[in-house]
Amino acid sequence: MRNADRERQQVLSGKGGVGKSSVTTQLALSLSLAGHSVGVLDVDLTGPSIPRMFGIEDAKVTQAPGGWLPITVHDADPSSGLGSLRVMSLGFLLPRRGDAVVWRGPKKTAMVRQFLSDVFWDELDYLLIDTPPGTSDEHISLAETLLLKARPDQLAGAVVVTTPQAVATADVRKELNFCKKTNIRVLGVVENMRGFVCPNCSECTNIFSSGGGLVMAEDFKVDFLGHVPIDPQFLVLIETGKRPRYPAGTAVNGQDMSTLATEMDNQADTKDSALLVQKYPYCSLAPFFKSITDKVVTAVQQASVG
């Protein structure tokens, strides 16, 4: 992991479909908006979705002597306090989006180790690692390689993602036990998909119940970083590039999201040319992830001091 000199965080879950890639994407955007230089490493070899989340599926990595150059999502802009964002994923190496990765364990393990050692990241403040679900060969290889090659102050820990319902937390508890057995510090738990934000009235309904992630965090004595609802406008942003729009009176953490939307009414129905990171603050999930990101940064700083 060349020139990645700062904190490395994993985004984990023992359950598939809980939104690890969505959480990783929004953590990366929030860290970048806070002025940090960020790298995202997608090691979900059988389902690499990070390129699609950032709208860079057609990008191709450049081979350099001794490794790869990651894809630049956007460069830093010191005048606006924006940090750079770069991505590396197996998805860039596949000829077509729908191609299956039919590999046995040893080949997956070799690829994970190569991703960790042969990518030229340049200077980073944070490297986020999006992992596959479960506690498979990739996880073991990832943990072993990070613990072997990273300094203690570089391996910040894991952000564990779950959804509220018991069928999800039952599997995610195994991931927390995995972290304990492999001596990976847990930075905290994110309860994703807690509530659905109606696109018409902005009412939030707990379709998957609520509170399961909080209870799990308390049981394992780890921090609860926060909950995140389902917002269809985030999907609109990712899939179409359109800025999110909300009905009048939509407020999140005291911020009127509908007011933000009216500022861009002339461009709302078109895919404007602004960067994803510039459009993301118009999404109702941005305030949730700003709070989660602040807690993650604080936990990392406390761990470094300790």
Side-chain angles (χ1 to χ4, degrees), residues 4 15 18 37 56-57 62 76 83 118 137 162 166 171 179 215-216 220 225 247 250 275 294 296:
K15 185 72 173 175
V18 298
S37 56
I56 51 175
E57 282 185 294
T62 301
D118 294 347
D137 288 350
T162 187
D171 286 342
C179 291
V215 170
M216 183 180 69
F220 280 83
L225 298 174
T250 303
L275 299 171
D294 288 345
V296 169

Side-chain angles (χ1 to χ4, degrees), residues 94-220:
L94 298 176
R96 292 173 297 277
R97 178 196 297 175
D99 285 356
V101 180
V102 187
W103 292 351
R104 295 188 183 275
K107 190 168 184 179
K108 289 183 179 181
T109 297
M111 179 57 75
V112 168
R113 289 177 175 165
Q114 189 172 4
F115 271 4
L116 287 171
S117 61
D118 294 347
V119 178
F120 294 94
W121 290 105
D122 204 356
E123 297 293 332
L124 291 180
D125 293 326
Y126 293 92
L127 177 64
L128 307 182
I129 304 174
D130 186 27
T131 67
T135 54
S136 59
D137 288 350
E138 295 99 311
H139 290 81
I140 298 171
S141 175
L142 184 63
E144 289 177 345
T145 305
L146 286 173
L147 292 169
L148 178 66
K149 295 192 174 184
R151 300 191 310 266
D153 62 315
Q154 288 182 311
L155 183 55
V159 173
V160 178
V161 183
T162 187
T163 48
Q165 67 271 39
V167 69
T169 58
D171 286 342
V172 179
R173 286 172 182 268
K174 300 172 185 176
E175 195 72 48
L176 288 169
N177 281 318
F178 172 85
C179 291
K180 184 176 180 180
K181 290 180 179 179
T182 54
N183 295 317
I184 294 175
R185 181 169 178 260
V186 176
L187 297 173
V189 172
V190 174
E191 183 176 294
N192 199 23
M193 305 186 197
R194 176 178 167 181
F196 169 77
V197 180
C198 176
N200 297 314
C201 67
S202 297
E203 181 178 349
C204 190
T205 303
N206 292 324
I207 57 177
F208 292 136
S209 75
S210 65
L214 175 59
V215 170
M216 183 180 69
E218 291 174 344
D219 288 346
F220 280 83

